[in-house]
Amino acid sequence: GYERRIKQIEACMKEYGIKDLEDARGICLAKGIDVDAIVKGVQPIAFDNAGWAYTLGCAVAIKKGLTNAADAAEEVYRDASATAKEAERTLRGLLDDWNSHAVLRDFAFAFSAEERRYVVNSFSDACQRLRGIMSEMSALSGRAGEAASMLRGCAADASLLAAELRYAAIAARILGNFTLESERQTLSDETRSRAAAAEKLAAEILRVIRALSTSMSSVSAAIPVAASALHIDDEGGASADASRMISPQRAAAALSNAVSAISAAGFDRR
């Protein structure tokens, strides 16, 4: 009965900022959805509790909101794209810098001590920036997963509501109320369209997660190869051994592969 359920209902309303059941009804009506009328249209002898349950469920779906989920997804996409561009700029900047200082030449054994220090220090600086970028990418991947989950939840809720509205349209037709049938069918079609849009955006965010993973993997793979070519640790923290031959050209090739992988990940494809 009411006493048994009210605590759970009140907790749910509080979580989503809904004052009471009348407020829930108002939220639905503001979106043009008279849930109680739909319920009674499908089953005229339905208990009032059923109408309020569907009303609250619909209000929660609106509060959770496809709009909020879509905004979160767009924000994740923008941040992921910006972070990938920053990683690409960092790598390109290092390569352009090495090229402008003429250290990408074939005679790897002919570097002066000053040139060796320059190569190692510039690589170390780039590694420090890349570590920060990689941390951002990892956090973004988690946010993207949450956004995709939100969108899929919204899509599922919208699909269920579209089906209920479709049944309500059929019920209206049986009762001979063709105006009501048209209204409910239109609302069903709009809701189904929103569900499809949410699914599409969720798929896009999952692609962003894969792109972030590709970018992180490519940078993670390139750094130790480049470090090995320069005979320093893969954190870029130790000085190159002056007695060993270094190859900035081979290091640059590894870093160029990472640039290509980030570009190919396609953060700009929408």
Side-chain angles (χ1 to χ4, degrees), residues 38-248:
I38 293 171
V39 171
K40 293 293 176 62
V42 174
Q43 180 50 274
I45 62 171
F47 291 113
D48 288 342
N49 280 356
W52 284 120
Y54 279 110
T55 297
L56 180 57
C58 184
V60 167
I62 292 168
K63 279 285 189 175
K64 283 168 65 177
L66 176 57
T67 299
N68 290 343
D71 287 348
E74 287 292 337
E75 184 181 351
V76 165
Y77 183 88
R78 287 194 301 270
D79 289 350
S81 181
T83 306
K85 281 181 168 57
E86 181 61 23
E88 192 173 343
R89 276 195 299 270
T90 298
L91 290 166
R92 287 188 188 277
L94 177 63
L95 296 174
D96 290 344
D97 191 51
W98 282 356
N99 189 54
S100 68
H101 283 80
V103 296
L104 298 182
R105 55 183 183 267
D106 292 334
F107 303 105
F109 55 85
F111 289 96
S112 66
E114 185 178 344
E115 286 175 321
R116 295 168 75 92
R117 275 195 303 274
Y118 181 81
V119 169
V120 170
N121 289 339
S122 57
F123 179 73
S124 177
D125 290 343
C127 282
Q128 187 173 350
R129 289 196 297 275
L130 287 168
R131 284 196 295 276
I133 293 168
M134 295 274 278
S135 293
E136 287 183 41
M137 283 186 172
S138 181
L140 279 166
S141 187
R143 281 174 53 201
E146 291 173 6
S149 179
M150 284 174 61
L151 285 163
R152 290 201 154 165
C154 287
D157 290 343
S159 293
L160 285 173
L161 181 57
E164 292 291 339
L165 288 164
R166 172 61 181 151
Y167 294 142
I170 293 170
R173 185 196 309 165
I174 292 170
L175 294 172
N177 191 335
F178 301 113
T179 300
L180 185 59
E181 177 198 2
S182 176
E183 289 174 356
R184 290 174 177 174
Q185 186 57 56
T186 298
L187 191 54
S188 175
D189 292 342
E190 290 174 356
T191 305
R192 199 174 301 281
S193 175
R194 287 173 183 159
E199 279 289 356
K200 183 178 179 182
L201 191 52
E204 178 65 24
I205 292 302
L206 290 174
R207 188 187 69 76
V208 168
I209 293 173
R210 290 192 293 273
L212 284 167
S213 178
T214 296
S215 299
M216 286 189 287
S217 296
S218 64
V219 174
S220 295
I223 287 176
V225 174
S228 176
L230 302 177
H231 294 294
I232 57 179
D233 65 50
D234 60 8
E235 295 292 315
S239 297
D241 185 344
S243 66
R244 304 181 72 176
M245 180 177 72
I246 67 169
S247 179

Side-chain angles (χ1 to χ4, degrees), residues 25-35 38 62 165 183 187:
R25 185 168 185 269
I27 291 167
C28 296
L29 290 174
K31 294 290 185 180
I33 306 171
D34 189 340
V35 179
I38 293 171
I62 292 168
L165 288 164
E183 289 174 356
L187 191 54

